[in-house]
Amino acid sequence: MIKVLHNNSCSKSRGILEFLDENNVPFEIIDFVENPLTEIEMKTVLKKLNMNVHEIIRKNEAVFKEKFADKTLSDEEWIKVLIENPELIQRPILIKGSVAMVGRPIENVKFFIEK
């Protein structure tokens, strides 16, 4: 089963859920805005994504521009920022076993669910 780290205010995230549903792919929704990830969960997701924390920060978000654009923080500090400001996390993130991906573009999601 695929786990989807989901932000309901994001049209791309809602679109991925619709795509999975239409293609009869079983999935579990994890609303990371309503239920923020723990530090350990965030680190686990980053490891499964094979990405560093800077790669999953949404730098176009207003909160990033207002509070963090001029900051130089350590990876640990950025993880805490993302936990406290989950709207800054790229989404959706799909997790299948020991691997994960940011669910864009849709072509990559198709490949991900087929492997």
Side-chain angles (χ1 to χ4, degrees):
M1 176 175 300
I2 292 178
K3 293 183 181 183
V4 181
L5 298 181
H6 172 67
N7 178 341
N8 200 47
S9 68
C10 176
S11 63
K12 300 276 192 225
S13 195
R14 290 190 312 270
I16 290 299
L17 296 183
E18 188 176 306
F19 170 80
L20 294 173
D21 197 41
E22 288 171 355
N23 287 278
N24 299 312
V25 176
F27 62 92
E28 172 188 352
I29 298 171
I30 299 169
D31 185 331
F32 64 87
V33 174
E34 293 293 322
N35 302 297
L37 300 175
T38 67
E39 186 174 340
I40 291 171
E41 288 170 330
M42 180 67 70
K43 288 178 179 180
T44 300
V45 168
L46 288 167
K47 185 174 182 172
K48 289 179 179 191
L49 284 167
N50 196 27
M51 298 174 125
N52 68 52
V53 68
H54 303 278
E55 294 175 286
I56 67 163
I57 299 171
R58 294 177 56 89
K59 296 177 176 87
N60 290 332
E61 292 289 327
V63 69
F64 178 83
K65 292 176 182 177
E66 293 166 9
K67 294 183 177 182
F68 303 107
D70 60 346
K71 304 273 190 222
T72 303
L73 302 175
S74 70
D75 288 355
E76 292 292 322
E77 291 168 320
W78 277 118
I79 287 171
K80 289 180 179 149
V81 166
L82 293 181
I83 291 167
E84 293 168 7
N85 301 274
E87 68 275 15
L88 292 177
I89 299 172
Q90 291 287 348
R91 70 255 182 178
I93 295 175
L94 286 74
I95 303 168
K96 185 166 69 169
S98 62
V99 295
M101 68 163 296
V102 175
R104 296 184 318 274
I106 194 73
E107 293 76 22
N108 290 356
V109 174
K110 291 175 185 175
F111 178 75
F112 184 76
I113 63 175
E114 290 171 1
K115 25 179 212 176

